[in-house]
């Protein structure tokens, strides 16, 4: 498995771990499985775009398009072209669902029922955070700043939750973020090793590497 694919998997896992903090807010929890499945498709699209390879902005844009198609297929297929392509009617349906979801969040106490509007807010939010995390950690190879969108996702959940178990979900989210950092560190170390093992051709009698020559005897 390549370092890029490993990073993409860990980025998706970190997003899913942070999304677990939303579980106490709604009931039932089936929306999370749906979000994880769609997140896997979105991450796979990013991995495929990087393998082509596409320019970094095009990779992120391609994943954003895939995210829109996935949300359209799930939440507005009846108004979409061929069930997946957004149309003006599908965009109008999104607007209605978002308005409904915002109203439902203010109306219900936690755990709230998973209405269509709330489900769009949850699943769409997880996919959006997953897109940002994947772009930062994998496409742009900078996992540390990816902690900010993960923290934002957790903070929203912690701010709305009142069940007193925030620390449990914080540990889950933190574990996902640490997994992402470890994957990036492993990838950087593997690249560092290739740099020193694949040097330029050397003249006869020269040591195998600059490091070996510097540390070796006469």
């Amino acid at each position: 498995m390549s370092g890029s694919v490993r990073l993409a998997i860990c980025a998706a896992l970190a997003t899913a771990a942070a999304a677990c903090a939303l579980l106490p807010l709604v009931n039932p929890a089936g929306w999370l499985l749906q979000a994880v499945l769609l997140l896997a498709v979105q991450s796979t699209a990013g991995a495929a775009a990087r393998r082509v390879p596409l320019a970094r902005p095009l990779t992120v844009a391609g994943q954003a398009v895939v995210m829109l198609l996935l949300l359209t297929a799930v939440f507005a297929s009846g108004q979409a072209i061929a069930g997946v392509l957004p149309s003006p009617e599908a965009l109008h349906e999104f607007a209605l669902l978002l308005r409904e979801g915002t109203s439902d969040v203010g109306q219900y106490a936690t755990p709230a029922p998973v209405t269509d509007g709330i489900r769009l807010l949850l699943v769409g939010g997880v996919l959006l955070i997953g897109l940002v995390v994947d772009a930062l950690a994998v496409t742009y190879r900078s996992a540390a700043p990816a902690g900010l969108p993960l923290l934002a996702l957790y903070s929203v959940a912690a701010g709305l939750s009142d069940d007193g178990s925030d620390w449990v979900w914080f540990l889950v989210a933190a574990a996902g973020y640490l997994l992402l950092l470890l994957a990036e560190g492993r990838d950087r170390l593997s690249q560092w090793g290739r740099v020193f093992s694949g040097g330029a051709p050397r003249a006869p009698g020269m040591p195998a590497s600059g490091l070996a020559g510097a540390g070796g005897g006469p």
Side-chain angles (χ1 to χ4, degrees):
M1 181 186 298
S2 68
S4 178
V5 172
R6 187 183 302 110
L7 269 176
I9 293 174
C10 291
L13 289 176
T15 303
C20 288
L22 298 167
L23 288 174
L25 303 181
V26 293
N27 186 44
W31 66 269
L32 182 59
L33 176 60
Q34 183 180 50
V36 169
L37 292 175
L38 297 181
L39 182 62
V41 176
Q42 180 177 281
S43 298
T44 301
R50 284 184 291 266
R51 191 172 180 83
V52 170
L54 294 178
R56 289 174 174 178
L58 290 179
T59 297
V60 178
Q63 284 181 283
V65 170
V66 170
M67 179 181 68
L68 179 59
L69 295 178
L70 290 173
L71 291 176
T72 301
V74 172
F75 293 97
S77 59
Q79 295 78 22
I81 301 172
V84 295
L85 298 177
S87 63
E89 292 78 12
L91 297 178
H92 180 66
E93 179 68 13
F94 277 132
L96 291 177
L97 288 175
L98 289 174
R99 191 179 305 119
E100 174 190 325
T102 303
S103 175
D104 290 342
V105 168
Q107 176 182 355
Y108 294 106
T110 57
V114 184
T115 64
D116 289 340
I118 290 179
R119 190 158 60 96
L120 174 59
L121 291 176
L122 292 171
V123 175
V126 171
L127 290 184
L128 180 59
I129 294 297
L131 174 61
V132 176
V133 171
D134 187 271
L136 291 173
V138 191
T139 303
Y140 286 92
R141 297 286 176 156
S142 185
L148 294 177
L150 293 174
L151 179 61
L153 180 59
Y154 167 79
S155 298
V156 169
L160 295 175
S161 178
D162 56 2
D163 68 346
S165 61
D166 294 346
W167 64 273
V168 175
W169 304 118
F170 176 79
L171 292 179
V172 173
Y177 180 52
L178 289 176
L179 179 66
L180 179 59
L181 292 178
L182 289 173
E184 185 198 36
R186 178 178 177 180
D187 184 55
R188 289 184 183 275
L189 284 176
S190 65
Q191 292 179 356
W192 184 83
R194 287 195 296 270
V195 169
F196 286 100
S197 64
R202 58 187 183 275
M206 288 183 63
S209 70
L211 289 181

